[in-house]
Amino acid sequence: MADRSLRGMRLGSQSLQSEEGVEFSPRKKAVYQTADGATFDVVFAAEAEIPDSWQSPKTGQEGLLLSADGKPVEIDRGDVKVPRTHWDMLLERRTRPELEELLQERLDFLRARKGQQKIGA
């Protein structure tokens, strides 16, 4: 019995389930256009918030969302938060003269320590 092969349908290659009675979730299609004029479609769930831009799967360029009439959607960038740098956060805690004084103190300390190492060597 063990030396016989299974005959009939190939296991794992075909599904035995049918699509009868299957209800797909509601979807909506968004159309994007790249800078060179190429358009591409992206399908989203009906309740999903559609982003203003999307990367093209073929070219990798960023595409802008088109409205139903084929014109690019106006993007409101008024409330975009500018990221703060380390320097900006430092200036929130200290003034520039304080920073210059701290720098000078640290440089004097390092120079004095370097001079002591040369003497001891």
Side-chain angles (χ1 to χ4, degrees):
M1 188 68 118
D3 58 335
R4 297 166 108 188
S5 64
L6 292 173
R7 299 191 188 272
M9 188 173 187
R10 292 167 288 180
L11 296 175
S13 65
Q14 296 174 342
S15 174
L16 297 175
Q17 292 182 332
S18 69
E19 292 184 10
E20 188 177 315
V22 174
E23 226 178 280
F24 294 108
S25 63
R27 301 171 188 187
K28 57 185 171 183
K29 182 169 53 170
V31 181
Y32 292 89
Q33 183 176 28
T34 60
D36 62 358
T39 60
F40 59 95
D41 300 336
V42 180
V43 179
F44 293 97
E47 64 273 356
E49 183 178 328
I50 298 189
D52 296 329
S53 62
W54 195 266
Q55 189 176 9
S56 170
K58 291 183 181 177
T59 63
Q61 296 179 355
E62 186 171 304
L64 298 177
L65 180 64
L66 297 179
S67 62
D69 59 358
K71 295 181 181 175
V73 173
E74 293 294 324
I75 301 171
D76 181 25
R77 302 248 186 234
D79 58 343
V80 175
K81 189 175 180 181
V82 179
R84 296 184 310 167
T85 64
H86 293 294
W87 180 249
D88 294 333
M89 290 184 268
L90 186 62
L91 288 177
E92 289 175 3
R93 295 190 307 267
R94 307 237 186 222
T95 64
R96 197 162 182 121
E98 286 177 326
L99 291 172
E100 289 175 4
E101 182 182 336
L102 287 171
L103 175 64
Q104 192 59 46
E105 287 176 13
R106 190 66 185 162
L107 288 173
D108 292 342
F109 172 75
L110 291 173
R111 287 179 184 141
R113 200 171 100 193
K114 187 176 180 182
Q116 289 176 354
Q117 288 177 353
K118 284 183 181 179
I119 296 171

